[in-house]
Amino acid sequence: KEALRSYMMHEKMDGFPQVSITTRGGMCDAAWSAILHSGLGPLSPNTILLPFPSKHQRNGSDQYWSEQGFLRMVAGVKNMKVAIMMFRGNHQYPSSNQLVTSGMIDVWWIIHDGGLLLLLPHILSQNAVWGKGGARLRIFAVLTKNADPDKFEAKVKKHLAGARIAATVIVVNMSAFSLPSDMRRSNSRDRFGCHVSDNLVPNEQTLDEAFSEGTDMEHSYLRLGEQFGVDMGNDDNGGDTDDLTLNTKASDHSDINDAKSGLREIHAKQERLKNASALNEMMRLHSSCSNLVITNMPQIQSQYSCDFFDYVDTMCDGLDNCLLIRGSGKEVITNYA
């Protein structure tokens, strides 16, 4: 605890150091224990910051950073209804004792999940590490539908002006890709079996939906399978899984369905990685020289843990420091903030 307090003082951080002890092995269990035991009642944290483990850390023989354990921890944090942030960075990110006179922070805004994605970079840009003028803040508003980019840009600028956030707004048209399905929940149950509503909630709207006129808040969006023409409905042929029969035809039919399901899963992953690669190409084109790139955290869509890590690694490839944010929906910026 004293070592942690000393490090916080060196980095000029205000806060309360707290150490949690666990007897279970692995960083994920230790971090989950610290999350559960931090704070007290209303003073519990409303935002959790996690490091994104590298490939080397995840593939280590000691399983210190287990992929399954990490995603299980993320699912637990989401169930706590708090905001979550993941930092995928390197040693080039400036420390509190450095001075960067020409800093730049880029925000790639896809999902309007509250105010944290705007408020946090605004606060970071005012830090003393960037000098008296602060860091330059740029908002890349991602257009995911065919709409008028000029009107879209005007609405985003009006929103920023109302929140008194000074930033350059750049509209990026990515309507040819299905990014929203990667950033929003797609199934009625998530990877770990927790029930999730299929109705579109306000904090999962794209910018197009959030800033469009006459937006229908009850509009339901396509799930991942429907986005790619896959039937995600209930199985009409099956009854109880305990009802076992020795019917050879039924067994063959089940094998065919499993094979089709596997092919659909492969196709869905390929489409998702195609989206991640397209977003990465635009990010590298515009933000390769930025000190920090902030964007929405993709949802965990697949039953395979490696899919989420492959998506993030593809999306952030070639960028020095990326911060992924998933708001809880409670963080809202208003004109009176």
Side-chain angles (χ1 to χ4, degrees), residues 180-186 200 204 206 209 221 299 301:
S181 62
D182 299 338
M183 300 293 171
R184 304 194 285 209
R185 294 173 292 189
S186 62
L200 181 63
E204 287 191 339
T206 63
E209 295 159 344
Y221 57 90
Q299 284 284 1
Q301 307 282 16

Side-chain angles (χ1 to χ4, degrees), residues 18-40 44-45 48-50 65 69-70 72-74 76-77 80:
Q18 186 171 348
V19 177
S20 179
I21 300 176
T22 176
T23 57
R24 302 183 66 179
M27 177 60 74
C28 297
D29 288 326
W32 179 238
S33 175
I35 292 171
L36 287 179
H37 295 95
S38 60
L40 179 64
S44 298
I48 305 297
L49 173 62
L50 298 171
W65 280 103
F70 185 84
R72 192 175 296 111
M73 176 177 59
V74 171
V77 172
M80 295 171 66

Side-chain angles (χ1 to χ4, degrees), residues 18-318:
Q18 186 171 348
V19 177
S20 179
I21 300 176
T22 176
T23 57
R24 302 183 66 179
M27 177 60 74
C28 297
D29 288 326
W32 179 238
S33 175
I35 292 171
L36 287 179
H37 295 95
S38 60
L40 179 64
L43 298 180
S44 298
N46 58 9
T47 304
I48 305 297
L49 173 62
L50 298 171
F52 185 82
S54 65
K55 283 186 178 181
H56 176 72
Q57 291 174 321
R58 302 194 308 262
N59 298 330
S61 57
D62 56 357
Q63 289 292 300
Y64 193 62
W65 280 103
S66 164
E67 290 186 350
Q68 289 286 351
F70 185 84
L71 295 188
R72 192 175 296 111
M73 176 177 59
V74 171
V77 172
K78 289 182 179 180
N79 288 337
M80 295 171 66
K81 308 301 182 185
V82 298
I84 181 171
M85 301 188 295
M86 291 185 193
F87 182 65
R88 185 184 186 274
N90 57 29
H91 64 280
Q92 295 183 4
Y93 191 74
S95 66
S96 299
N97 298 311
Q98 291 180 280
L99 179 62
V100 181
T101 55
S102 58
M104 184 181 299
I105 298 176
D106 286 349
V107 179
W108 286 76
W109 197 8
I110 305 170
I111 300 294
H112 185 42
D113 61 352
L116 190 59
L117 194 70
L118 291 181
L119 182 60
L120 182 63
H122 171 66
I123 294 175
L124 289 176
S125 68
Q126 306 301 315
N127 192 278
V129 73
W130 311 113
K132 292 183 179 180
R136 182 185 176 191
L137 185 60
R138 300 192 299 178
I139 307 293
F140 290 88
V142 178
L143 195 61
T144 58
K145 294 180 180 179
N146 291 322
D148 188 338
D150 294 331
K151 291 183 178 179
F152 179 63
E153 180 180 349
K155 290 180 180 179
V156 174
K157 286 182 175 179
K158 182 179 179 181
H159 178 76
L160 294 176
R164 297 185 294 280
I165 295 178
T168 302
V169 176
I170 302 169
V171 175
V172 179
N173 192 339
M174 298 199 69
S175 57
F177 301 93
S178 52
L179 280 173
S181 62
D182 299 338
M183 300 293 171
R184 304 194 285 209
R185 294 173 292 189
S186 62
N187 299 309
S188 59
R189 287 188 177 272
D190 67 9
R191 164 66 182 85
F192 299 95
C194 299
H195 178 74
V196 178
S197 172
D198 281 332
N199 293 327
L200 181 63
V201 291
N203 66 316
E204 287 191 339
Q205 291 181 316
T206 63
L207 289 191
D208 317 79
E209 295 159 344
F211 292 126
S212 64
E213 297 178 358
T215 300
D216 183 8
M217 300 300 291
E218 296 300 322
H219 170 68
S220 60
Y221 57 90
L222 292 177
R223 294 178 291 172
L224 182 62
E226 295 167 345
Q227 185 74 22
F228 302 120
V230 178
D231 183 12
M232 300 290 286
N234 294 328
D235 186 4
D236 295 332
N237 299 321
D240 260 337
T241 54
D242 294 332
D243 232 359
L244 300 179
T245 65
L246 297 179
N247 190 316
T248 305
K249 290 184 178 181
S251 177
D252 292 343
H253 184 68
S254 176
D255 291 341
I256 293 174
N257 284 340
D258 290 343
K260 289 182 178 180
S261 177
L263 290 174
R264 289 195 293 263
E265 186 71 33
I266 293 174
H267 177 64
K269 179 179 179 180
Q270 291 174 343
E271 290 292 334
R272 280 171 51 78
L273 290 181
K274 180 181 176 182
N275 296 337
S277 180
L279 180 58
N280 173 258
E281 183 179 351
M282 298 304 295
M283 284 181 169
R284 293 179 68 169
L285 178 64
H286 296 283
S287 302
S288 57
C289 296
S290 299
N291 299 95
L292 178 63
V293 177
I294 302 177
T295 188
N296 298 101
M297 188 183 81
Q299 284 284 1
I300 302 171
Q301 307 282 16
S302 171
Q303 59 178 321
Y304 304 106
S305 60
C306 62
D307 290 356
F308 174 78
F309 293 100
D310 289 344
Y311 190 97
V312 174
D313 285 334
T314 301
M315 181 178 69
C316 301
D317 183 44

Side-chain angles (χ1 to χ4, degrees), residues 6-13 94-97:
S6 175
Y7 181 79
M8 292 176 64
M9 291 178 61
H10 179 266
E11 291 294 329
K12 302 176 182 178
M13 294 176 59
S95 66
S96 299
N97 298 311

